[in-house]
């Protein structure tokens, strides 16, 4: 039986890895929608190759270019936010949510509303609106599967286990590009330096977020929302080799670790074939050759993002939406060369401290999430432009 699949963020790093897996077995899948933004050539080529029903670009100014690239192929073209959300509403069995940033929230919710299994790489959705995503999935009997490597690892370590027996969840962090830099050098870190990761090949934004630990900060919140554990049950462990992705500690003292090569096709493939475990084209680790795995405690002075994430987990409500939006805006500022590397965390902290609490305490509806997001972006831009 063929499965109807859609890929949001198809032109990105996760999207391309997902296509790699799907293209190996084309008869097994019916591709419904592929979405992208600026890279029209890639989007169109994949949509034609995979015979998608529709290709959607988030950027309305590129609709004509997309139409031209798809001319005569039978693949429909669409553009803009509404079209993106509509792509999420097209009936599908399995949907990869791999847009970067809060923009992934609305299409993901639509996919859940029509009962699709949502493979969630877009961690920002859970950070911004965890309770809304989970309640939407529950209301529509839709399955949510984690694709972040750490969360997939935890999910796999929990198979057959009782959540009551879980004492703690440990997510690992490589430490990113600046793990071993002297602290006084960090303020001068350049965009190029922050954009290269020691172990993982990922999109630019998440790579910079790994250097600042904002990625791990988002993942702490993601862990709390997805697995429903208390913040004090979640730990971050710096593990420079990125072979152990997460560990689950149980009440009998056992720690179940998930070990694998740093290749996102593992987590994507697990979510694609779940509940089966099928063969995947990832490297097999030779532990004797690797020899040693090392660990260290995270340094909250070097990485203030981790402390901020703990605050957000305690405040809950729409604090995650504010945190993420301030982070995205600060990251834009760093990429544009307007602020230095260390300013990002300072800006996020200033926004969290100064935002009117009514934005955080409002009920979690999509409108209120969008409003909190906008207020936080405006506040962050004001700080950047000061
Ligand atoms: P990427 O930058 O490589 O790709 C992002 C995708 O989103 C592209 O298809 C782009 O066209 C699209 N996009 C960008 N802005 C958009 C907008 N405003 N509206 C609609 N679409 C937009 O990013 P990535 O590294 O593939 O990451 C995607 C998501 O997966 C992120 O949430 C990231 O945190 C998460 N993730 C990535 C990895 C990884 O290894 N790359 C690992 C774990 C989690
Ligand atoms: Mg991760």
């Amino acid at each position: 039986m063929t499965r109807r699949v859609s890929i949001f963020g198809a032109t990105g790093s996760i999207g391309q890895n997902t296509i790699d897996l799907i293209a190996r077995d084309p008869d097994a899948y019916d591709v419904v929608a592929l979405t992208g933004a600026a890279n029209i050539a890639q989007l169109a080529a994949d949509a034609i190759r995979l015979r998608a029903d529709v290709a959607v670009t988030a950027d309305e100014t590129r609709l004509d270019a997309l139409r031209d690239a798809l001319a005569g192929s039978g693949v429909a073209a669409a553009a803009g936010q509404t079209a993106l959300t509509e792509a999420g509403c097209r009936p599908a069995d399995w949907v990869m949510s791999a847009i970067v940033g809060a923009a992934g929230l609305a299409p993901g919710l639509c996919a859940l509303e029509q009962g699709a299994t949502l493979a969630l790489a877009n961690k920002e959705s859970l950070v911004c609106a965890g309770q809304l995503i989970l309640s939407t999935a529950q209301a529509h009997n839709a399955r949510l599967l984690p694709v972040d490597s750490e969360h997939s690892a935890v999910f796999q370590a929990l198979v057959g286990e009782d959540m009551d027996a879980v004492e703690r969840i440990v997510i690992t962090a490589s430490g990113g590009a600046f793990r071993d830099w002297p602290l006084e050098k960090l303020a001068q870190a350049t965009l190029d330096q922050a954009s290269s990761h020691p172990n993982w090949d990922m999109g630019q934004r998440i790579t910079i977020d790994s250097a600042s630990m904002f990625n791990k900060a988002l993942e702490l919140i993601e862990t709390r929302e997805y697995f429903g554990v208390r913040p004090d049950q979640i730990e971050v462990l710096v593990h420079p080799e990125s072979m152990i992705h997460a560990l689950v500690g149980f009440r009998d003292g056992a720690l179940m670790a998930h070990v694998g090569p740093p290749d996102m096709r593992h987590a994507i493939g697990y979510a694609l074939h779940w509940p089966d475990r099928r063969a995947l084209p990832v490297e097999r680790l030779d532990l004797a050759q690797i020899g040693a795995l090392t660990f260290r405690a995270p340094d909250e002075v070097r990485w203030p993002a981790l402390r901020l994430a703990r605050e957000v987990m305690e405040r809950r409500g729409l604090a995650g939406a504010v945190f993420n939006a301030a982070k995205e805006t600060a990251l834009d500022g760093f990429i544009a060369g307007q602020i230095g590397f260390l300013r990002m965390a300072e800006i996020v902290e200033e926004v969290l401290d100064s935002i009117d609490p009514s934005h955080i305490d409002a009920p979690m509806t999509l409108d209120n999430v969008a409003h909190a997001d906008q207020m936080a972006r405006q506040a962050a831009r004001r700080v950047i432009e000061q």
Side-chain angles (χ1 to χ4, degrees):
M1 206 184 74
T2 56
R3 290 168 78 202
R4 296 166 302 173
V5 303
S6 287
I7 304 172
F8 304 156
T11 55
S13 167
I14 293 286
Q16 289 291 299
N17 277 309
T18 308
I19 288 176
D20 174 82
L21 292 179
I22 282 176
R24 286 164 193 262
D25 194 3
D27 295 339
Y29 305 102
D30 250 336
V31 177
V32 180
L34 296 185
T35 85
N39 191 346
I40 297 299
Q42 185 75 57
L43 178 63
D46 286 331
I48 293 168
R49 176 163 69 106
L50 298 174
R51 298 167 200 247
D53 297 340
V54 61
V56 186
T57 165
D59 182 351
E60 286 183 50
T61 67
R62 297 182 200 263
L63 179 57
D64 285 343
L66 182 60
R67 280 207 181 107
D68 289 349
L70 292 171
S73 68
V75 181
Q81 285 311 310
T82 312
L84 215 62
T85 307
E86 276 168 13
C89 302
R90 290 194 173 226
D93 301 306
W94 187 89
V95 174
M96 167 53 75
S97 167
I99 288 172
V100 62
L105 175 60
L109 280 174
C110 265
L112 290 172
E113 280 164 8
Q114 46 97 0
T117 291
L118 190 69
L120 196 69
N122 176 246
K123 64 192 85 183
E124 296 89 344
S125 314
L126 273 179
V127 171
C128 294
Q131 289 138 287
L132 182 60
I133 297 248
L134 293 177
S135 62
T136 305
Q138 198 175 25
H140 298 273
N141 209 10
R143 169 72 57 175
L144 194 64
L145 295 172
V147 172
D148 219 342
S149 56
E150 298 76 5
H151 305 74
S152 173
V154 172
F155 186 74
Q156 293 178 50
L158 286 172
V159 170
E161 302 286 353
D162 184 345
M163 274 312 283
D164 289 344
V166 173
E167 226 168 43
R168 59 184 176 141
I169 292 178
V170 183
I171 57 173
T172 58
S174 69
F178 305 141
R179 181 184 60 218
D180 301 316
W181 277 37
L183 274 180
E184 57 282 4
K185 237 183 101 185
L186 279 181
Q188 271 73 53
T190 66
L191 179 59
D192 267 1
Q193 290 166 329
S195 302
S196 92
H197 195 283
N199 305 331
W200 294 90
D201 180 14
M202 310 184 284
Q204 186 189 38
R205 297 181 75 86
I206 184 175
T207 302
I208 301 169
D209 283 350
S210 298
S212 61
M213 272 297 176
F214 267 111
N215 181 48
K216 214 48 55 179
L218 296 175
E219 290 181 1
L220 278 170
I221 304 165
E222 185 187 7
T223 305
R224 190 229 205 290
E225 296 299 331
Y226 190 89
F227 297 103
V229 287
R230 297 187 314 272
D232 63 281
Q233 290 178 289
I234 317 170
E235 298 168 23
V236 172
L237 178 67
V238 176
H239 167 44
E241 296 84 9
S242 298
M243 300 284 170
I244 296 182
H245 305 300
L247 306 98
V248 178
F250 294 93
R251 63 183 165 205
D252 60 356
L255 272 175
M256 297 287 273
H258 183 286
V259 191
D263 183 336
M264 284 309 293
R265 290 177 306 173
H266 171 75
I268 297 167
Y270 187 81
L272 182 61
H273 301 306
W274 180 90
D276 296 343
R277 197 183 270 286
R278 302 228 186 122
L280 290 173
V282 302
E283 181 197 345
R284 272 47 176 175
L285 291 182
D286 179 346
L287 291 175
Q289 212 205 347
I290 292 164
L293 298 177
T294 61
F295 307 97
R296 42 180 125 149
D299 172 351
E300 291 197 358
V301 175
R302 178 177 294 269
W303 294 304
L306 297 177
R307 171 175 54 79
L308 298 176
R310 298 236 168 244
E311 261 179 60
V312 169
M313 288 195 286
E314 294 301 338
R315 281 180 85 174
R316 246 182 152 194
L318 298 177
V322 169
F323 176 74
N324 178 68
K327 192 281 292 176
E328 286 191 33
T329 310
L331 178 57
D332 290 338
F334 176 67
I335 292 174
Q338 291 172 299
I339 54 168
F341 184 75
L342 292 180
R343 274 299 280 156
M344 287 192 284
E346 290 168 4
I347 288 167
V348 174
E349 183 157 21
E350 281 176 48
V351 171
L352 275 172
D353 287 348
S354 66
I355 198 113
D356 188 323
S358 67
H359 297 309
I360 289 180
D361 299 331
M364 191 178 280
T365 61
L366 190 54
D367 280 350
N368 287 343
V369 172
H371 188 62
D373 176 286
Q374 271 176 15
M375 292 298 110
R377 280 176 207 267
Q378 281 171 17
R381 274 196 292 269
R382 275 197 301 273
V383 181
I384 290 172
E385 280 152 21
Q386 257 167 25

